[in-house]
PDB file of all heavy atoms in Angstrom:
ATOM      1  N   ALA X 210     196.242 204.735 233.298  1.00 98.00           N
ATOM      2  CA  ALA X 210     197.531 205.424 233.358  1.00 98.00           C
ATOM      3  C   ALA X 210     198.081 205.469 234.782  1.00 98.00           C
ATOM      4  O   ALA X 210     199.290 205.625 234.982  1.00 98.00           O
ATOM      5  CB  ALA X 210     197.409 206.846 232.812  1.00 98.00           C
ATOM      6  N   LEU X 211     197.208 205.324 235.768  1.00 98.00           N
ATOM      7  CA  LEU X 211     197.631 205.277 237.164  1.00 98.00           C
ATOM      8  C   LEU X 211     197.904 203.853 237.630  1.00 98.00           C
ATOM      9  O   LEU X 211     198.796 203.625 238.446  1.00 98.00           O
ATOM     10  CB  LEU X 211     196.569 205.910 238.063  1.00 98.00           C
ATOM     11  CG  LEU X 211     196.285 207.393 237.845  1.00 98.00           C
ATOM     12  CD1 LEU X 211     195.170 207.860 238.785  1.00 98.00           C
ATOM     13  CD2 LEU X 211     197.541 208.237 238.053  1.00 98.00           C
ATOM     14  N   SER X 212     197.138 202.907 237.126  1.00 98.00           N
ATOM     15  CA  SER X 212     197.269 201.532 237.616  1.00 98.00           C
ATOM     16  C   SER X 212     198.271 200.698 236.828  1.00 98.00           C
ATOM     17  O   SER X 212     198.946 199.838 237.399  1.00 98.00           O
ATOM     18  CB  SER X 212     195.899 200.836 237.605  1.00 98.00           C
ATOM     19  OG  SER X 212     195.387 200.750 236.287  1.00 98.00           O
ATOM     20  N   HIS X 213     198.391 200.952 235.515  1.00 98.00           N
ATOM     21  CA  HIS X 213     199.301 200.180 234.672  1.00 98.00           C
ATOM     22  C   HIS X 213     200.027 201.102 233.691  1.00 98.00           C
ATOM     23  O   HIS X 213     199.889 200.967 232.470  1.00 98.00           O
ATOM     24  CB  HIS X 213     198.539 199.089 233.908  1.00 98.00           C
ATOM     25  CG  HIS X 213     198.068 197.969 234.779  1.00 98.00           C
ATOM     26  ND1 HIS X 213     196.949 198.063 235.583  1.00 98.00           N
ATOM     27  CD2 HIS X 213     198.568 196.724 234.986  1.00 98.00           C
ATOM     28  CE1 HIS X 213     196.780 196.926 236.227  1.00 98.00           C
ATOM     29  NE2 HIS X 213     197.749 196.100 235.891  1.00 98.00           N
ATOM     30  N   PRO X 214     200.791 202.049 234.222  1.00 98.00           N
ATOM     31  CA  PRO X 214     201.441 203.025 233.339  1.00 98.00           C
ATOM     32  C   PRO X 214     202.435 202.407 232.370  1.00 98.00           C
ATOM     33  O   PRO X 214     202.552 202.854 231.224  1.00 98.00           O
ATOM     34  CB  PRO X 214     202.128 203.980 234.311  1.00 98.00           C
ATOM     35  CG  PRO X 214     202.337 203.177 235.562  1.00 98.00           C
ATOM     36  CD  PRO X 214     201.135 202.288 235.643  1.00 98.00           C
ATOM     37  N   ARG X 215     203.159 201.374 232.805  1.00 98.00           N
ATOM     38  CA  ARG X 215     204.175 200.795 231.927  1.00 98.00           C
ATOM     39  C   ARG X 215     203.541 200.115 230.727  1.00 98.00           C
ATOM     40  O   ARG X 215     204.003 200.282 229.588  1.00 98.00           O
ATOM     41  CB  ARG X 215     205.053 199.802 232.705  1.00 98.00           C
ATOM     42  CG  ARG X 215     206.228 199.276 231.878  1.00 98.00           C
ATOM     43  CD  ARG X 215     207.270 198.629 232.747  1.00 98.00           C
ATOM     44  NE  ARG X 215     207.832 199.566 233.713  1.00 98.00           N
ATOM     45  CZ  ARG X 215     208.788 200.442 233.419  1.00 98.00           C
ATOM     46  NH1 ARG X 215     209.275 200.512 232.189  1.00 98.00           N
ATOM     47  NH2 ARG X 215     209.250 201.252 234.351  1.00 98.00           N
ATOM     48  N   GLU X 216     202.481 199.373 230.950  1.00 98.00           N
ATOM     49  CA  GLU X 216     201.813 198.697 229.831  1.00 98.00           C
ATOM     50  C   GLU X 216     201.245 199.712 228.843  1.00 98.00           C
ATOM     51  O   GLU X 216     201.326 199.525 227.627  1.00 98.00           O
ATOM     52  CB  GLU X 216     200.707 197.783 230.346  1.00 98.00           C
ATOM     53  CG  GLU X 216     201.198 196.560 231.099  1.00 98.00           C
ATOM     54  CD  GLU X 216     201.377 196.799 232.589  1.00 98.00           C
ATOM     55  OE1 GLU X 216     201.510 197.980 233.001  1.00 98.00           O
ATOM     56  OE2 GLU X 216     201.367 195.816 233.353  1.00 98.00           O
ATOM     57  N   LEU X 217     200.686 200.798 229.370  1.00 98.00           N
ATOM     58  CA  LEU X 217     200.142 201.832 228.497  1.00 98.00           C
ATOM     59  C   LEU X 217     201.250 202.524 227.712  1.00 98.00           C
ATOM     60  O   LEU X 217     201.143 202.719 226.492  1.00 98.00           O
ATOM     61  CB  LEU X 217     199.355 202.852 229.319  1.00 98.00           C
ATOM     62  CG  LEU X 217     198.769 204.041 228.546  1.00 98.00           C
ATOM     63  CD1 LEU X 217     197.915 203.586 227.375  1.00 98.00           C
ATOM     64  CD2 LEU X 217     197.968 204.942 229.480  1.00 98.00           C
ATOM     65  N   ALA X 218     202.313 202.900 228.393  1.00 98.00           N
ATOM     66  CA  ALA X 218     203.420 203.570 227.716  1.00 98.00           C
ATOM     67  C   ALA X 218     204.030 202.678 226.640  1.00 98.00           C
ATOM     68  O   ALA X 218     204.348 203.141 225.530  1.00 98.00           O
ATOM     69  CB  ALA X 218     204.486 203.979 228.727  1.00 98.00           C
ATOM     70  N   GLU X 219     204.198 201.406 226.930  1.00 98.00           N
ATOM     71  CA  GLU X 219     204.782 200.492 225.947  1.00 98.00           C
ATOM     72  C   GLU X 219     203.913 200.385 224.705  1.00 98.00           C
ATOM     73  O   GLU X 219     204.427 200.309 223.581  1.00 98.00           O
ATOM     74  CB  GLU X 219     204.994 199.114 226.577  1.00 98.00           C
ATOM     75  CG  GLU X 219     206.140 199.085 227.587  1.00 98.00           C
ATOM     76  CD  GLU X 219     206.274 197.744 228.292  1.00 98.00           C
ATOM     77  OE1 GLU X 219     205.352 196.892 228.134  1.00 98.00           O
ATOM     78  OE2 GLU X 219     207.273 197.549 229.022  1.00 98.00           O
ATOM     79  N   LEU X 220     202.600 200.400 224.883  1.00 98.00           N
ATOM     80  CA  LEU X 220     201.713 200.322 223.732  1.00 98.00           C
ATOM     81  C   LEU X 220     201.771 201.611 222.906  1.00 98.00           C
ATOM     82  O   LEU X 220     201.829 201.573 221.668  1.00 98.00           O
ATOM     83  CB  LEU X 220     200.277 200.042 224.181  1.00 98.00           C
ATOM     84  CG  LEU X 220     199.248 199.809 223.076  1.00 98.00           C
ATOM     85  CD1 LEU X 220     199.675 198.683 222.133  1.00 98.00           C
ATOM     86  CD2 LEU X 220     197.891 199.501 223.689  1.00 98.00           C
TER      87      LEU X 220
END
Side-chain angles (χ1 to χ4, degrees):
L211 297 178
S212 62
H213 289 79
R215 186 164 299 279
E216 291 89 339
L217 177 54
E219 288 175 350
L220 185 55

